Amino acid sequence: MRGRPAVQTTLHLYRTAYGGLSRSVWLLAAVMLVNRSGTMVIPFLSVYLTHELGFSVAQAGLVMAGFGLGAIVGAVLGGRLTDRLGYFPVMTGSLALGGLMFLVLGQMRTFPSLCGTIFVLSVVGEAFRPALSASVASYATPATLTRSYSLIRLTSNLGFSVGPALGGLLAALGYGWLFVADGGTCLLAAGLLFVFLRKSARSVVRATSETPTIGGGGTAAWRDRYYLAFSAFGLLFAVAFCQLFTLMPVFLKQEYQFPEPRIGLWLAFNGFMVAAVEMILIHTIEKRRSSLTWIRLGVALTALSFVSLNLLAGWVPVVWLAVLLLTFGEMFAMPFMQAVSVTRATPEARGQYAAVYSVLWSSAQVLAPTLGGQIAQWAGFTTLWWVMAALGGVSWVGFGWLKERFRV
């Protein structure tokens, strides 16, 4: 009997955290769940390249950098197309073409063909990000904006907890299955988006011009110096965080002899924790401090995760501690970073502000494997983790400086 009030309190907390979100946000979240449940290729790509195709760690890093370079182009292109055409055609086209490109990528075997194909795949796929960000801003109210982004992240990470875990099992059967599954779920998500959100997208597009500006930015993201500074400090954090998906799987394989299914479970733990905790966390903390306060806490936890990998090296549980710290760092930092990226813009400029934010992450996808791959190849993973911790420290200081100038 004593446990019943605690259960009821927990259920009430969940109902409150999830309450008030629009039907369109929930439908978009369901589409993201389907799409991200097929996320198998990118988390295992570095392992596939090094252990299946025989490339070096440095070469694998360059292929992954090609993905990041294409993401930069895709983010800018996606932002412009979103402001001109609307978010719905950009999202639908990105998912459909991306699904086809995963099937093509699975047929590539040479280094040049892999670099070229992964670049095109990334351009097509990453155009989705600014369109998604603009769509959530249109579907949400100012009071539910951060939680709406958290819901999208929740379902994305819930799918991500399924994708790598299933991907690890499929990889044990044959890596070709990863490309088929990833491509198929992208195509399925495109179909669901077209069927369920086409009409609501039309009505939102007509109403967008009447929506008031939520934040204190403007109509030109590239001339908003404080937002650009915000993005620069965010880039340092993102380069460190992206090691989770680029070189940490290789690190676990080489240094701790994790098999692919175990790597998949390790990655899935990140997605499961975000899905279980983030909405409640955001609901509890969002009104208590400024956005930059929580962003700085997330950056600090991320830096600490890399410190732990070195200070407790060789102790197997430390890799689980590291992913736990990274996950809480992600939950504190990313929802508020994304909310800031749209609350600075007028409705007509949300695409370009979202594009700058997408470029931030796309640039990190270039720098994380390129820088990380070279450091790991020539100086070892211990040096790599110290460098990543240092980047987190600089980012933490930078956001502290910005906090006095950027009132969010």
Side-chain angles (χ1 to χ4, degrees):
M1 295 294 294
R2 297 179 62 182
R4 183 171 297 178
V7 173
Q8 291 175 343
T9 300
T10 301
L11 291 176
H12 175 73
L13 185 59
Y14 270 91
R15 283 195 298 267
T16 305
Y18 286 86
L21 305 182
S22 72
R23 178 177 180 272
S24 294
V25 169
W26 281 103
L27 287 172
L28 185 59
V31 171
M32 291 302 298
L33 176 61
V34 171
N35 182 42
R36 290 303 295 269
S37 293
T39 303
M40 302 178 191
V41 172
I42 300 305
F44 286 96
L45 188 57
S46 58
V47 178
Y48 168 71
L49 293 170
T50 53
H51 289 270
E52 185 76 7
L53 299 186
F55 293 121
S56 68
V57 174
Q59 286 179 308
L62 291 175
V63 173
M64 297 296 291
F67 180 85
L69 184 61
I72 295 174
V73 177
V76 175
L77 179 63
R80 291 187 175 182
L81 290 175
T82 298
D83 285 338
R84 292 183 180 182
L85 304 178
Y87 54 80
F88 182 77
V90 177
M91 289 195 296
T92 307
S94 173
L95 287 172
L97 293 175
L100 296 176
M101 287 305 302
F102 273 116
L103 300 178
V104 173
L105 180 65
Q107 306 304 312
M108 300 297 107
R109 295 293 182 272
T110 65
F111 184 71
S113 66
L114 282 162
C115 289
T117 306
I118 198 73
F119 175 81
V120 175
L121 167 65
S122 184
V123 170
V124 171
E126 291 301 304
F128 182 83
R129 283 182 182 268
L132 173 65
S133 184
S135 72
V136 175
S138 296
Y139 289 138
T141 66
T144 63
L145 182 65
T146 303
R147 286 193 295 129
S148 294
Y149 281 120
S150 290
L151 178 65
I152 299 299
R153 280 178 36 76
L154 182 153
T155 52
S156 295
N157 281 278
L158 184 60
F160 188 77
S161 69
V162 174
L166 181 59
L169 297 176
L170 290 177
L173 298 176
Y175 275 93
W177 290 108
L178 302 185
F179 299 94
V180 174
D182 214 331
T185 50
C186 284
L187 292 171
L188 177 59
L192 293 174
L193 188 69
F194 182 81
V195 170
F196 291 108
L197 281 167
R198 182 180 56 199
K199 292 182 179 179
S200 62
R202 290 175 180 171
S203 63
V204 170
V205 168
R206 289 194 297 270
T208 294
S209 61
E210 301 176 3
T211 304
T213 304
I214 300 171
T219 60
W222 300 103
R223 293 197 295 270
D224 186 341
R225 60 176 182 170
Y226 287 135
Y227 181 65
L228 294 179
F230 172 86
S231 300
F233 298 134
L235 175 62
L236 299 180
F237 161 73
V239 169
F241 179 80
C242 281
Q243 300 302 322
L244 174 66
F245 307 107
T246 54
L247 290 177
M248 277 194 171
V250 179
F251 170 72
L252 295 175
K253 182 78 172 180
Q254 292 187 359
E255 302 296 323
Y256 286 87
Q257 288 76 52
F258 275 27
E260 280 81 354
R262 195 172 183 185
I263 294 173
L265 289 174
W266 183 85
L267 289 168
F269 178 75
N270 167 261
F272 173 78
M273 286 296 297
V274 170
V277 175
E278 183 173 300
M279 283 290 286
I280 299 299
L281 180 68
I282 296 302
H283 173 67
T284 303
I285 69 174
E286 65 177 333
K287 305 297 184 183
R288 298 188 177 186
R289 297 287 188 276
S290 69
S291 296
L292 281 172
T293 298
W294 301 121
I295 291 170
R296 292 186 80 207
L297 176 58
V299 170
L301 291 174
T302 300
L304 184 60
S305 70
F306 294 107
V307 173
S308 70
L309 285 173
N310 283 343
L311 294 183
L312 300 173
W315 184 51
V316 174
V318 75
V319 300
W320 297 97
L321 173 63
V323 74
L324 183 65
L325 290 171
L326 276 169
T327 300
F328 272 93
E330 171 187 359
M331 289 190 289
F332 277 110
M334 292 187 193
F336 293 101
M337 290 176 67
Q338 191 163 26
V340 167
S341 73
V342 296
T343 56
R344 298 261 321 159
T346 61
E348 295 79 11
R350 282 175 182 159
Q352 61 173 289
Y353 270 79
V356 172
Y357 184 73
S358 296
V359 166
L360 179 165
W361 284 99
S362 301
S363 300
Q365 290 173 340
V366 175
L367 294 173
T370 304
L371 177 65
Q374 297 300 320
I375 294 175
Q377 180 83 14
W378 303 110
F381 282 105
T382 298
T383 301
L384 174 61
W385 303 147
W386 285 128
V387 171
M388 293 302 108
L391 291 182
V394 174
S395 177
W396 183 83
V397 172
F399 280 125
W401 171 83
L402 193 58
K403 185 178 178 182
E404 303 301 321
R405 297 161 177 81
F406 194 8
R407 298 188 181 278
V408 292

